[in-house]
Amino acid sequence: MAKELTVGQVAARSGVAVSALHFYEAKGLIQSHRTAGNQRRYGGDVLRRVALIKVAQEVGISLAEIGKALASLPGGRTPTRDDWSVLSQQWAADLDRRILQLQKLRDGLTDCIGCGCLSIDRCKLRNPGDRLAEEGPGPRRLVVAPRVY
């Protein structure tokens, strides 16, 4: 059997606070078992799972989505390169949409507030007569339409 890790060891090796590990466990993202002395013990696979959680969160994937992805992995073993490939492909379309949204925001944000009026609905150059209202609510020039699956 592989060496088991204490919550402190997992925290030190993963760079994640003990409280975050407890939170991840409460959300079902990672698992531990209890010793006879009621102390948490983790298998070595938890380090890869925590790394996956951190990377996914960094790019804006919700904990709910991360939880669904981790639930699809076999329990009790370290996720493999193939496992990661499947998960990353599932997230790729959403990440591409987010990238487009961020690029559109970056490219259009200064243009929208360039005159300093902070009031697009009254801008005679960018939105004369509030014609963008016909396209629907919200920031019409800066929103990327959601993907339909």
Side-chain angles (χ1 to χ4, degrees), residues 4-36:
E4 294 186 325
L5 303 166
T6 66
V7 69
Q9 289 169 322
V10 173
R13 296 220 16 223
S14 67
V16 173
V18 169
S19 59
L21 295 171
H22 292 171
F23 177 77
Y24 293 161
E25 190 170 352
K27 294 292 183 185
L29 302 174
I30 61 174
Q31 295 177 345
S32 70
H33 71 275
R34 298 289 183 145
T35 66

Side-chain angles (χ1 to χ4, degrees), residues 29-145:
L29 302 174
I30 61 174
Q31 295 177 345
S32 70
H33 71 275
R34 298 289 183 145
T35 66
N38 202 30
Q39 295 177 330
R40 285 182 169 91
R41 292 292 185 267
Y42 297 91
D45 67 299
V46 77
L47 294 173
R48 179 82 45 94
R49 289 173 184 267
V50 171
L52 191 148
I53 293 166
K54 286 179 65 173
V55 168
Q57 283 185 300
E58 186 68 29
V59 297
I61 297 172
S62 71
L63 282 179
E65 287 297 315
I66 295 168
K68 281 193 249 177
L70 289 174
S72 74
L73 297 175
R77 74 162 171 80
T78 302
T80 64
R81 184 172 301 184
D82 288 340
D83 294 331
W84 176 246
S85 178
V86 169
L87 296 182
S88 63
Q89 286 174 16
Q90 291 172 359
W91 291 334
D94 184 51
L95 291 174
D96 287 342
R97 186 194 61 75
R98 289 177 197 210
I99 289 167
L100 285 173
Q101 178 66 61
L102 288 169
Q103 288 172 332
K104 195 167 188 175
L105 178 63
R106 178 202 62 211
D107 295 345
L109 190 58
T110 14
D111 190 35
C112 288
I113 62 172
C115 68
C117 74
L118 300 176
S119 182
I120 275 291
D121 64 324
R122 292 192 302 251
C123 181
K124 302 295 184 218
L125 297 174
R126 298 292 292 155
N127 188 19
D130 194 22
R131 65 176 162 41
L132 291 175
E134 296 170 12
E135 295 180 22
R140 305 312 310 161
R141 290 193 188 277
L142 298 180
V143 174
V144 172

